[in-house]
Amino acid sequence: MDVSHTAREASNLLELRTVSVVRTKRTIVADVSLGIHPGEVFALVGPNGAGKSTLLGALSGEIQPSTGEALINGVPTKNYRPKQLSQLRAILLQSNQVSFPFTVSQVVEMGRNPWAGTPRADDDEASIARAMDSVGVVDLASRRFGELSGGEKARVSLARVLAQDTDVLLLDEPTAALDLHHQDRVMRVIRRHSRIADDGSVGDSSASSATPAVTRRAVVVVVHDLSLAAAYADRVGLIVGGALVAVGTPDEVMTKDILSDAYQVSLDVTRAPDGNLMVVPTRGVIN
């Protein structure tokens, strides 16, 4: 038996065990088994309609599987009460709509609702300020959310999720409406979140310290930009037709043959000057 593999399974923050999701007789996710480890950024990639958002929903407990089981900290998600789940993981959906004329600061403050009436409510002010600063929306604090641009709304919505201050972040396309500068900034914030240790320090998985800081945090993020996923993710899961067809490091999953087959378009995978992978379409559709 692979002892290291067994140890990783035992330490999974999130886990799917042969999970399928069926809606109106259509299988959206098919027999997916997956473990998310502490300290990692895990990117979900795949074509439109492949099942990425549904898989994220199953990981979060928002969607109960038709078959199989989803677990957080080794406990089936169906065994948690809603408030318990909201104290364990925070979710960013693709839609960034708010029905009432709340200000930006009020929207971010909503992220603290799970901690109302608990000792951690004492951290509300600091958590809100830290979250707004991290994604660069402090100057928008008094603006009405509905008056913001799409990119501004996306950053404010991420600040709300960060203010929730949970160990696990589940993010559905957090960079979709952002310019290049803010895409990079958001992905750096996401990566830093996964590295925050129990003592509040930021660990470095490449460090050679004999007593590395322990983190119980992780991020699962749906990303359409494959080069962005390759630059910031520790591992990548490729979903095609509801099936998880490949899981591994960016180098293992993001090859020319694997990606070209998955997306049905001819792709080149090269190295950028900084050493990260770049995925570039050659515009030749595979027949």
Side-chain angles (χ1 to χ4, degrees):
M1 179 180 291
D2 184 343
V3 176
S4 62
H5 178 69
T6 303
R8 287 197 301 271
E9 283 189 338
S11 66
N12 285 336
L13 289 184
L14 303 171
E15 189 174 358
L16 298 180
R17 296 178 179 172
T18 58
V19 162
S20 293
V21 178
V22 180
R23 294 287 183 269
T24 60
K25 299 183 179 181
R26 175 173 171 261
T27 300
I28 303 172
V29 170
D31 293 325
V32 171
S33 293
L34 175 66
I36 306 299
H37 314 320
E40 77 171 339
V41 175
F42 188 95
L44 287 171
V45 302
N48 290 335
K52 300 182 295 296
S53 295
T54 301
L55 189 62
L56 200 73
L59 281 166
S60 73
E62 290 289 303
I63 296 174
Q64 286 301 316
S66 304
T67 60
E69 192 171 46
L71 304 95
I72 298 179
N73 287 332
V75 178
T77 56
K78 62 185 179 183
N79 292 357
Y80 289 109
R81 295 190 299 274
K83 185 169 183 177
Q84 289 176 312
L85 277 175
S86 67
Q87 293 174 346
L88 293 171
R89 88 292 183 261
I91 311 165
L92 178 68
L93 302 177
Q94 290 184 36
S95 175
N96 298 313
Q97 300 302 318
V98 174
S99 300
F100 298 97
F102 293 110
T103 65
V104 165
S105 60
Q106 288 171 328
V107 170
V108 178
E109 186 179 356
M110 292 175 188
R112 299 300 300 169
N113 287 343
W115 305 109
T118 76
R120 286 186 58 178
D122 294 341
D123 301 330
D124 284 0
E125 187 174 338
S127 295
I128 292 166
R130 184 167 55 248
M132 293 180 67
D133 180 65
S134 68
V135 296
V137 296
V138 173
D139 60 326
L140 304 177
S142 61
R143 295 268 303 276
R144 299 291 183 185
F145 184 83
E147 299 171 353
L148 304 180
S149 70
E152 289 169 336
K153 287 180 179 177
R155 287 188 287 137
V156 171
S157 296
L158 178 58
R160 172 184 54 78
V161 169
L162 292 170
Q164 196 169 329
D165 196 20
T166 58
D167 285 345
V168 175
L169 295 183
L170 299 162
L171 311 175
D172 199 349
E173 298 188 42
T175 61
L178 304 183
D179 59 33
L180 293 176
H181 168 75
H182 286 106
Q183 284 182 12
D184 190 64
R185 179 171 185 166
V186 163
M187 292 304 292
R188 289 200 308 270
V189 169
I190 288 170
R191 189 165 178 85
R192 185 180 186 278
H193 179 91
S194 73
R195 273 34 177 195
I196 294 177
D198 293 344
D199 61 2
S201 63
V202 180
D204 181 357
S205 59
S206 65
S208 59
S209 171
T211 57
V214 176
T215 179
R216 289 293 299 170
R217 294 194 166 203
V219 180
V220 182
V221 55
V222 174
V223 186
H224 269 301
D225 187 320
L226 297 175
S227 298
L228 202 62
Y232 287 99
D234 300 291
R235 287 193 302 150
V236 176
L238 174 62
I239 308 175
V240 180
L244 193 60
V245 299
V247 176
T249 65
D251 281 335
E252 293 168 336
V253 173
M254 305 180 83
T255 69
K256 177 178 179 179
D257 290 343
I258 290 175
L259 294 180
S260 295
D261 183 60
Y263 285 88
Q264 289 296 288
V265 64
S266 181
L267 297 168
D268 281 333
V269 180
T270 60
R271 292 279 177 192
D274 62 3
N276 289 311
L277 295 177
M278 288 195 308
V279 182
V280 183
T282 59
R283 307 302 178 190
V285 176
I286 299 174
N287 296 318

